[in-house]
């Protein structure tokens, strides 16, 4: 409906423009009745209106313009010669068209009872019927009826004081009477067309203004001049509002990009033999036009993907107990300063096992790495360059534009994309895009006397580590520093080193935890200044090859600061795929030392698990524990996580239920087959030790014991523990 | 080389004792030393970024670009702001000369004995009565290696 309203508004604006031209043409036509040029122009205009009104189901308008068009075509082809009655008839037709358009503008329909098209149609049909007697101006059927259509028109109501037995409505102007009386500006007057370049210039200028404002605010902050302070506060306010308004003028509904999709879906589903219903929700969601451009291709690609890989052929769907017709739904909405676009289908979903198998086969990840990935990370593999499932390649979506390109394009504009899927049920791809490109919130950090801006969208958290913690939590794995952050190893990258300098030796470490899609790392910086709105400016061709910069901005003091590109830095220093691999390789190389997660079970007894077996640490409220058959389970990440009480598994009394929460070590059993939650009392520590295991204490669930941190600790036999959950190890 | 004979007016400057000229219609303005933000890991010829009334302009040091000896520490460079392929770039030079009219002096090819790096950015020379003007091709002068310098940042 919103979509229709938009099309109608466009139609109205266009038609009003055309009608103005039509008026001029008709007047001139009266002067020179045989001007072919005028006639063609009029014919074209009426033809256009007729075409669109047919499309929009404005039947009365269509009927009216249809007869008008017929008359005009006769005139144009020289079959009929222009006479005063014909001119009169055409003029009254134009006026009635106008009245109908006014009605459409007010009500969205052309059924306004105050406008009567039948008399006009009758007149023109009369003229058409009489066209053989073109010479006579006093054609009998025409003459009386010419007077009849006049009433509906505003202009010459007066000269016709002979209203038939008809009731009141006609003599009055048809406008604003039947409507609720609220004065609305006509569509035509309510909008202007603006050159896109001019708009871009305005955005630039506002950017300038915002910067100058920042500069002035900084100066006036400490000023004793109350007048200046007040003025700059006003400026602050005005600049902000101006910025907002200008940004708004560049906003366009995402429906503009979507409008092409029904056709794409139709063509593709024919080609692929699928039956697909396209549901679109949230056309009106607006975002900056430059971004709209940038997301067009990625969105189209994702839709193609859904059709090609997601939705199954009708017979397959029916066999799976689903309706033969698949549903592809697009949803757009605003969420915390971003636009979220979801593309979901109810197709066969993505099988993480299949993805994992292909990824290992293609060498995208090693079997080891795969075993430690959670399902979301496994699905994320489809965004890796060079990744394609063999079955997936087709002439529709295997044309060299992979999901990695989709991701690159989305990330280029500061967005992100992730995918979730339930095998057999469907897939949802969620694209997040910033509302506007030009001004973004950023964290300003300092390094080497210069400032750098980090887009807030990539920021996860700030961590400051001092003293003892520094020595305990930051470790060097063969030259690669890592930080233990809540049980997970976070690769650390020094900004100073990334910039080509030397990392400063310091008593404390400030880590900015950054995330660029699946890559998460900690950037060590010297100083953290503040967060502020920055205006993103492009940097020159000379610097394009430096992927670590996303652009530059101007700070309050007028100096230029570079904007860091988080994905680019990850690529430059090789965090992400390669760095992770390197880390894993190194970890394996130091095989005499083992990283252990030390736990407490059974009220004070210590046990240890290899850290590599730990996917995550979770806490669940005790009330979330449910029963499935003989086992305890919790609902976890859209699935069911079977629980094993570690204490019972290793022959100790279970005391894990003492608090409100239960602590759970999530262990993934490889290749996405499943995960097991090992219930413990609490996590004590993560240590890296050389284990000299002894057979002492060996029993079911325990391979032996070792002295860890001067305490005897049970070494958990993971396989035996997992076996108790019933999940294949 | 004769194809460029149309430009007659040059904005002139000195770089390491060489007398250069850029066609006046390519020059936007000439500025004194500007505050500069270094760009770590950029090519060594890229001295930094300057804020030119809200526009961010890359500054390219012509001495480095042309493989000439570095400027002495206490010498402050001047900015010759040129327009090149839709972008505005600053050329850092030693000193600014006048705008001269070379009408009547035919351009000649650059002598083949000039250093390669200089020849590469010169469209030709115009022998004036008391000096020889090297006509700079701004488009080529602002082109620096686009592969990042892996040996470290600039100072």
């Amino acid at each position: 409906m919103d979509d229709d309203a938009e099309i109608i508004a466009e139609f109205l604006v266009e038609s009003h423009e055309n009608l103005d031209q039509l008026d001029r043409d008709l007047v001139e036509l009266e002067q020179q009745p045989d001007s072919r040029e005028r006639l063609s122009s009029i014919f074209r205009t009426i033809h256009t209106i007729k075409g669109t009104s047919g499309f929009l189901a404005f039947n009365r308008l269509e009927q009216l313009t249809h007869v008008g068009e017929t008359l005009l075509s006769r005139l144009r082809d020289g079959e009929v010669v222009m006479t005063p009655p014909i001119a009169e008839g055409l003029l009254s037709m134009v006026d009635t068209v106008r009245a109908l358009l006014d009605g459409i503008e007010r009500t969205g329909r052309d059924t306004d009872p105050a406008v009567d098209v039948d008399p006009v149609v009758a007149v023109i049909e009369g003229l058409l019927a009489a066209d053989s007697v073109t010479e006579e101006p006093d054609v009998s059927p025409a003459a009386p009826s010419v007077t009849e259509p006049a009433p509906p028109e505003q202009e010459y109501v007066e000269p016709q004081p002979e209203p038939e037995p008809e009731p009141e409505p006609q003599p009055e102007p048809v406008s604003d009477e039947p409507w609720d009386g609220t004065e609305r500006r006509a569509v035509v007057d309510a909008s202007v067309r603006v050159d896109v370049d001019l708009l871009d210039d305005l955005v630039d200028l506002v950017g300038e203004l915002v910067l100058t404002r920042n500069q002035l605010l900084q100066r006036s902050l400490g000023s004793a001049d109350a007048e200046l302070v007040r003025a700059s506060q006003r400026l602050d306010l005005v600049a902000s509002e101006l910025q907002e308004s200008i940004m708004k003028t560049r906003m366009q509904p995402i429906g503009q990009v979507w409008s092409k999709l029904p056709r794409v879906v139709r063509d593709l589903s024919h080609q692929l033999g699928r039956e697909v219903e396209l549901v679109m929700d949230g056309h009106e969601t607006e975002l900056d036009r430059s971004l709209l451009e940038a997301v067009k291709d990625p969105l189209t690609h994702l839709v193609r993907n859904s059709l090609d890989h997601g939705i199954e052929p009708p017979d397959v769907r029916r066999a799976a107990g689903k309706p033969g017709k698949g549903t592809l739904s697009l949803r757009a909405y605003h969420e915390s300063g971003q636009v979220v676009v979801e593309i979901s289908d109810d197709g066969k979903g993505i099988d993480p096992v299949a993805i994992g198998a292909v990824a290992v086969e293609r060498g995208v990840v090693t079997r080891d790495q795969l075993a430690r990935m959670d399902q979301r990370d496994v699905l994320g593999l489809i965004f890796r360059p060079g990744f394609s499932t063999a079955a997936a390649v087709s002439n529709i979506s295997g044309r060299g534009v992979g999901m990695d390109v989709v991701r690159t394009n989305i990330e280029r504009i500061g967005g992100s994309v992730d995918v979730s899927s339930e095998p057999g049920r469907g897939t949802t791809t969620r694209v997040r895009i910033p509302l506007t490109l030009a001004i973004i919130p950023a964290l300003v950090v300092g390094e080497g006397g210069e400032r750098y801006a980090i887009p807030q969208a990539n920021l996860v958290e700030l961590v400051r580590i001092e003293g003892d913690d520094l020595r305990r939590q930051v470790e060097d794995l063969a030259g690669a520093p890592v930080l233990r952050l809540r049980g997970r190893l976070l690769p650390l990258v020094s900004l100073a080193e990334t910039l080509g300098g030397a990392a400063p030796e310091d008593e404390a470490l400030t880590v900015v935890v950054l995330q660029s899609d699946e890559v998460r790392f900690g950037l060590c910086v010297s100083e953290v200044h503040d967060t502020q709105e920055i205006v993103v400016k492009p940097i020159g061709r000379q610097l394009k090859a430096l992927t670590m910069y996303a652009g530059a901005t101007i700070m309050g003091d007028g100096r230029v600061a570079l904007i860091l590109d988080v994905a680019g830095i990850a690529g430059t220093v090789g965090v992400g795929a390669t760095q992770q691999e390197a880390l894993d390789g190194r970890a394996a190389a130091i095989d005499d030392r083992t990283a252990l997660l030390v736990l407490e079970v059974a009220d004070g007894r210590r046990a240890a698990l290899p850290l590599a077996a730990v996917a995550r640490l979770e806490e669940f409220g005790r009330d979330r524990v449910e029963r499935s058959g003989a086992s305890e389970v919790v609902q976890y990440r859209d699935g069911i996580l079977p629980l094993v009480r570690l204490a019972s598994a290793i022959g100790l009394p279970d005391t894990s239920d003492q608090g409100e929460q239960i602590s759970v070590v999530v262990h993934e059993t490889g290749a996405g087959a499943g995960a097991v939650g090992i219930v413990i009392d609490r996590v004590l520590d993560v240590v890296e030790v050389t284990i000299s295991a002894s057979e002492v204490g060996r029993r079911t669930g325990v391979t032996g014991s070792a002295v860890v941190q001067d305490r005897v600790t049970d070494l958990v036999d993971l396989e035996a523990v997992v076996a108790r959950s019933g999940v294949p190890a | 080389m004769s194809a460029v004979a149309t430009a007659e007016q040059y904005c002139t400057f000195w770089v390491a004792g060489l007398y250069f000229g850029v066609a006046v219609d390519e020059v936007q303005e000439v500025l004194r030393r500007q505050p500069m933000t270094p760009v770590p890991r950029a090519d060594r010829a890229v001295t930094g970024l300057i804020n030119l009334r809200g526009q961010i302009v890359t500054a390219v040091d012509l001495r480095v670009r042309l493989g000439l000896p570095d400027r002495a520490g206490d010498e402050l460079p001047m900015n010759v702001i040129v327009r090149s392929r839709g972008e505005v770039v600053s050329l850092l030079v030693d000193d600014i000369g006048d705008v001269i009219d070379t009408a009547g002096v035919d351009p000649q090819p650059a002598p083949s004995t000039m250093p390669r790096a200089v020849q590469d950015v010169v469209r030709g020379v115009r022998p004036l009565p008391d000096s020889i003007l090297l006509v700079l091709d701004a488009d080529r002068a602002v082109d620096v290696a686009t592969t990042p310098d892996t040996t470290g940042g600039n100072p």
Side-chain angles (χ1 to χ4, degrees):
Chain A
M1 199 61 208
D2 278 333
D3 207 22
D4 284 353
E6 204 172 294
I7 296 172
I8 290 171
E10 228 163 82
F11 164 67
L12 287 172
V13 171
E14 188 189 281
S15 299
H16 277 293
E17 280 172 12
N18 286 339
L19 283 174
D20 290 345
Q21 179 63 39
L22 199 60
D23 272 349
R24 286 194 292 278
D25 285 340
L26 281 172
V27 171
E28 284 195 36
L29 191 66
E30 272 202 308
Q31 317 291 315
Q32 321 160 275
D34 42 1
S35 162
R36 276 290 145 78
E37 205 184 304
R38 294 288 158 217
L39 277 168
S40 302
S41 170
I42 296 169
F43 177 77
R44 273 197 304 274
T45 308
I46 293 296
H47 181 75
T48 306
I49 295 177
K50 178 194 137 183
T52 320
S53 58
F55 171 67
L56 291 172
F58 293 142
N59 298 325
R60 298 173 80 212
L61 184 58
E62 188 185 10
Q63 185 197 3
L64 177 66
T65 44
H66 177 72
V67 287
E69 188 191 43
T70 313
L71 179 57
L72 280 162
S73 75
R74 298 257 175 105
L75 281 164
R76 189 190 56 176
D77 299 343
E79 289 171 25
V80 181
V81 175
M82 183 60 102
T83 57
I86 289 179
E88 194 80 342
L90 285 174
L91 279 168
S92 60
M93 174 199 68
V94 170
D95 287 333
T96 316
V97 166
R98 205 187 283 274
L100 280 174
L101 287 173
D102 284 346
I104 292 169
E105 194 175 333
R106 274 180 287 111
T107 65
R109 297 161 194 285
D110 71 336
T111 49
D112 190 339
V115 185
D116 199 354
V117 295
D118 296 339
V120 191
V121 171
V123 171
I124 295 177
E125 273 171 352
L127 288 164
L128 281 169
D131 65 4
S132 44
V133 275
T134 44
E135 256 13 270
E136 288 94 299
D138 49 44
V139 207
S140 44
S145 32
V146 166
T147 55
E148 229 187 312
E153 293 119 32
Q154 296 95 304
E155 272 75 43
Y156 31 99
V157 213
E158 263 65 50
Q160 273 108 359
E162 30 132 85
E164 308 254 271
E166 245 81 357
E168 252 70 306
Q170 290 116 315
E172 271 312 302
V174 282
S175 45
D176 51 37
E177 197 222 33
W179 208 231
D180 55 10
T182 44
E183 194 57 49
R184 270 181 43 193
R185 215 182 312 176
V187 184
V188 226
D189 305 325
S191 62
V192 282
R193 293 180 186 211
V194 183
D195 182 60
V196 166
D197 287 340
L198 176 63
L199 217 48
D200 288 348
D201 283 351
L202 276 176
V203 171
D204 279 350
L205 286 171
V206 166
E208 283 314 292
L209 184 68
V210 168
L211 293 172
T212 318
R213 177 225 29 207
N214 291 355
Q215 223 165 320
L216 208 69
L217 276 180
Q218 226 165 49
R219 281 291 178 94
S220 73
L221 215 63
S223 167
D225 185 346
E227 210 40 35
L228 175 69
V229 172
R230 210 167 318 142
S232 59
Q233 279 168 351
R234 280 259 313 280
L235 176 68
D236 183 18
L237 214 70
V238 172
S240 301
E241 273 174 25
L242 185 61
Q243 178 195 331
E244 207 172 299
S245 306
I246 293 285
M247 286 305 169
K248 249 183 228 157
T249 58
R250 282 164 53 102
M251 296 300 231
Q252 285 183 315
I254 195 156
Q256 288 204 322
V257 171
W258 285 2
S259 61
K260 296 201 175 51
L261 294 179
R263 181 65 198 274
V264 171
V265 169
R266 183 200 156 274
D267 289 358
L268 268 184
S269 44
H270 275 239
Q271 206 176 328
L272 294 164
R274 310 283 155 88
E275 287 173 22
V276 181
E277 187 181 351
L278 180 65
V279 181
M280 299 198 279
D281 192 14
H283 308 76
E284 69 288 351
T285 311
E286 293 190 315
L287 70 165
D288 194 90
R289 51 165 284 275
S290 56
L291 296 171
L292 215 53
E293 275 300 300
V295 298
K296 197 161 24 177
D297 289 346
L299 285 185
T300 311
H301 186 74
L302 290 173
V303 165
R304 282 167 172 279
N305 255 0
S306 276
L307 258 77
D308 195 14
H309 306 322
I311 294 173
E312 315 91 323
D315 47 332
V316 178
R317 290 181 61 88
R318 281 188 210 103
K322 292 195 267 191
K325 192 172 206 175
T327 306
L328 175 64
S329 78
L330 294 178
R331 211 157 80 81
Y333 54 93
H334 285 150
E335 190 185 87
S336 56
Q338 289 187 313
V339 174
V340 181
V341 187
E342 281 176 5
I343 297 116
S344 39
D345 62 61
D346 62 349
K348 64 172 181 281
I350 306 175
D351 182 3
V353 178
I355 296 288
V358 176
V360 170
E361 189 186 309
R362 308 221 164 194
V364 178
V365 291
T366 65
R367 202 164 287 281
D368 251 25
Q369 287 172 322
L370 184 67
R372 261 173 287 120
M373 291 169 106
D374 63 22
Q375 192 183 335
R376 189 172 161 264
D377 291 343
V378 173
L379 289 184
L381 288 173
I382 61 170
F383 294 110
R384 293 277 182 89
F387 186 87
S388 172
T389 47
V393 178
S394 78
N395 61 337
I396 310 273
S397 51
R399 271 180 278 188
V401 198
M403 291 292 267
D404 60 318
V405 177
V406 168
R407 188 173 71 179
T408 313
N409 284 336
I410 300 280
E411 283 186 351
R412 188 169 295 150
I413 52 168
S416 68
V417 52
D418 73 317
V419 65
S420 60
S421 177
E422 212 179 318
R425 303 287 294 278
T427 306
T428 297
T429 312
R430 199 168 282 111
V431 179
R432 290 172 181 280
I433 320 159
L435 268 182
T436 144
L437 193 56
I439 299 183
I440 59 166
L443 175 76
V444 181
V445 300
E447 195 65 66
E450 295 294 332
R451 284 161 299 179
Y452 296 89
I454 303 171
Q456 197 109 57
N458 296 112
L459 194 65
V460 181
E461 61 179 315
L462 283 172
V463 182
R464 185 160 170 86
I465 312 157
E466 293 173 299
D468 269 358
D469 289 344
L470 189 63
R471 279 179 287 283
R472 225 156 36 81
Q473 294 176 357
V474 180
E475 274 165 82
D476 194 90
L477 290 184
V482 290
L483 168 68
R484 290 180 197 280
L485 189 63
R486 290 186 290 276
R488 263 201 139 170
L489 294 182
L490 185 74
L492 291 182
V493 175
S494 153
L495 179 56
E497 279 177 12
T498 308
L499 298 176
E505 289 290 327
D506 227 336
E507 276 308 289
L509 201 58
T510 307
V511 181
V512 185
V513 182
L514 297 172
Q515 173 104 29
S516 160
D517 231 60
E518 80 218 34
V519 181
R520 186 181 274 225
F521 64 97
L523 190 69
C524 305
V525 301
S526 296
E527 289 169 79
V528 171
H529 293 290
D530 54 354
T531 57
Q532 53 178 267
E533 301 262 293
I534 59 164
V535 180
V536 180
K537 307 234 166 194
I539 49 177
R541 201 179 322 121
Q542 294 81 3
L543 306 171
K544 280 280 147 63
L546 298 172
T547 52
M548 41 198 283
Y549 306 121
T553 189
I554 296 169
M555 295 275 116
D557 60 2
R559 290 286 298 261
V560 177
L562 285 158
I563 301 168
L564 299 178
D565 183 322
V566 173
I569 290 182
T572 307
V573 300
V575 209
T578 46
Q579 178 87 7
Q580 290 289 4
E581 272 157 26
L583 277 176
D584 295 338
R586 285 179 196 128
I590 324 169
D591 52 5
D592 56 334
R593 286 171 76 82
T594 312
L596 293 176
L597 183 71
V598 185
L599 319 162
E600 182 181 315
V601 281
D603 237 349
R605 293 286 293 269
R606 288 162 63 97
L609 279 171
L611 188 61
V614 177
R616 281 170 305 279
L617 299 175
E618 300 282 355
E619 298 220 305
F620 299 106
R622 239 183 325 141
D623 50 349
R624 281 185 57 192
V625 178
E626 296 173 62
R627 291 214 152 257
S628 160
S631 15
E632 290 180 306
V633 295
V634 287
Q635 295 182 24
Y636 179 61
R637 299 199 180 195
D638 304 330
I640 293 173
L641 181 72
L643 297 179
V644 182
R645 303 268 174 176
L646 182 59
S648 324
I650 61 176
L652 295 172
D654 180 35
T655 55
S656 53
D657 258 345
Q658 284 168 354
E660 284 294 297
Q661 305 263 318
I662 55 166
S663 299
V664 174
V665 174
V666 180
H667 166 68
E668 281 182 0
T669 53
V676 176
I678 301 166
V679 182
I680 57 166
D681 285 15
R682 63 193 181 100
V683 174
L684 294 175
D685 206 350
V686 175
V687 295
E688 197 163 326
V689 290
T690 311
I691 304 175
S692 46
S694 81
E695 293 283 303
V696 178
R698 185 182 179 120
R699 58 185 186 274
T700 311
V702 179
T703 55
S705 55
V707 177
V708 176
Q709 293 175 322
D710 301 333
R711 298 269 312 266
V712 174
T713 307
D714 281 334
L715 300 177
V716 176
D717 178 356
L718 201 64
E719 241 171 76
V721 171
V722 170
R724 283 179 69 110
S725 72
V727 174
Chain B
M1 287 296 171
S2 56
V4 289
T6 43
E8 305 270 278
Q9 285 203 316
Y10 292 97
C11 172
T12 63
F13 48 85
W14 281 272
V15 180
L18 293 172
Y19 186 50
F20 282 100
V22 177
V24 281
D25 54 357
E26 292 176 23
V27 176
Q28 178 174 311
E29 59 192 298
V30 172
L31 295 171
R32 302 201 155 276
R33 197 187 125 80
Q34 295 288 308
M36 196 94 56
T37 300
V39 184
R41 300 254 178 183
D43 187 275
R44 212 171 72 83
V46 176
T47 313
L49 302 174
I50 58 178
N51 167 14
L52 181 66
R53 294 184 299 277
Q55 192 172 12
I56 288 171
V57 174
T58 312
V60 174
D61 191 333
L62 272 190
R63 277 183 176 250
V64 183
R65 172 70 183 88
L66 302 182
L68 301 169
D70 282 1
R71 198 172 292 109
D74 55 344
E75 279 179 62
L76 299 180
M78 300 281 282
N79 292 274
V80 177
I81 313 281
V82 296
R83 282 181 294 262
S84 155
R85 284 170 285 182
E87 281 182 7
V88 179
V89 183
S90 166
L91 298 175
L92 296 187
V93 303
D94 297 352
D95 212 350
I96 304 290
D98 294 327
V99 172
I100 57 161
D101 199 324
T102 60
V105 183
D106 286 335
Q108 296 181 13
S112 58
T113 48
M114 269 199 323
R116 190 80 247 164
V118 180
Q119 272 189 59
D120 279 349
V121 298
V122 166
R123 284 177 179 166
V125 299
R126 288 187 186 240
L128 303 174
D130 47 1
S131 57
I132 296 175
L133 183 75
L134 305 176
V135 177
L136 192 76
D137 183 327
D139 283 354
R140 270 187 265 162
V142 302
D143 259 345
V144 299
T146 47
T147 43
D149 176 11
T150 47
T151 57
N154 56 5

